[in-house]
């Protein structure tokens, strides 16, 4: 998805004072942001998080998933290094949107897992496309990075756009009784690098 840069502002947070860069998808008008911290110039690859929107987890403290915990940990890690980028991508519900995610959660309340629920609603398990990251990173002048994720699809997608992912940095936080089954399903059905296989995972 091609995006164009719109504007930048300061964004003070409890973790540090970031700059927020706004982008707009040319075809859909969908809005994405990149939060940056520190000096982006230089060859040393910096920490980058590509975070998909999760209103329930990121803003409403939901414990059904790990999103809110990951968002906080990613910002904290970037602040600790004094340098890095968090791209907040408006792909709610792995691309199905908020209301369909509520439908999917309802099916999960009645026994489906996260993948089955999507499929019962007529969606693929994961509809996300990461091509907006290419333009966003290009705008910021980033060609090499260390990607904070447990999701192999994100690594593959960025690599396919010619971005060099020199390291995958795991981001395992927030496991709790309400999201255990969800995380286990991400591992078994979506191929995420998570707890059980952690030790024999190459870190790319
Ligand atoms: N359809 C659907 N989407 C969900 C469900 N739970 C969480 N999500 C969405 O899944 C996405 C999770 O995005 P990310 O935090 O980028 O996580 P990820 O792709 O699992 O990979 P990581 O980088 O390892 O976190 C968000 O868009 C959430 O809204 C669910 O049960 N069903
Ligand atoms: Zn979530």
């Amino acid at each position: 998805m091609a995006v164009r840069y719109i504007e930048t502002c300061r964004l003070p947070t409890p973790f540090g004072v970031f700059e927020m860069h706004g982008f707009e998808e040319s075809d859909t008008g969908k809005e994405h942001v990149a939060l940056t911290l520190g000096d982006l110039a230089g060859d040393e690859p910096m920490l980058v998080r590509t975070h998909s929107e999760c209103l329930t987890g990121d803003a409403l403290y939901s414990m059904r998933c790990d999103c809110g915990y990951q968002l906080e940990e990613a910002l904290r890690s970037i602040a600790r290094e004094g340098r890095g980028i968090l791209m907040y991508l408006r792909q709610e519900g792995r691309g199905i949107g908020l209301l369909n995610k509520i439908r999917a959660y309802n099916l999960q309340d009645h026994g489906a897992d996260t993948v089955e629920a999507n499929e019962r609603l007529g969606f693929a398990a994961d509809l996300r496309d990461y091509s907006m990251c290419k333009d966003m990173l290009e705008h910021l002048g980033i060609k090499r990075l260390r990607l904070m994720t447990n999701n192999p699809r994100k690594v593959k997608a960025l690599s396919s756009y010619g971005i060099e992912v020199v390291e995958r940095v795991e981001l395992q936080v927030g496991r709790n009784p309400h999201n255990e089954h969800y995380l286990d399903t991400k591992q078994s059905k979506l191929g995420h690098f998570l707890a059980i296989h952690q030790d024999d995972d190459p870190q790319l």
Side-chain angles (χ1 to χ4, degrees), residues 93 95-106 117-118 121 123:
I96 66 175
L98 179 60
L99 299 181
N100 283 322
K101 188 171 83 170
I102 294 174
R103 290 190 175 103
Y105 274 167
N106 177 272
N118 261 39
L121 293 170
F123 298 111

Side-chain angles (χ1 to χ4, degrees), residues 54 56-57 65-67 101 105 182:
C54 177
T56 47
C65 59
D66 54 346
C67 304
K101 188 171 83 170
Y105 274 167
Y182 165 73

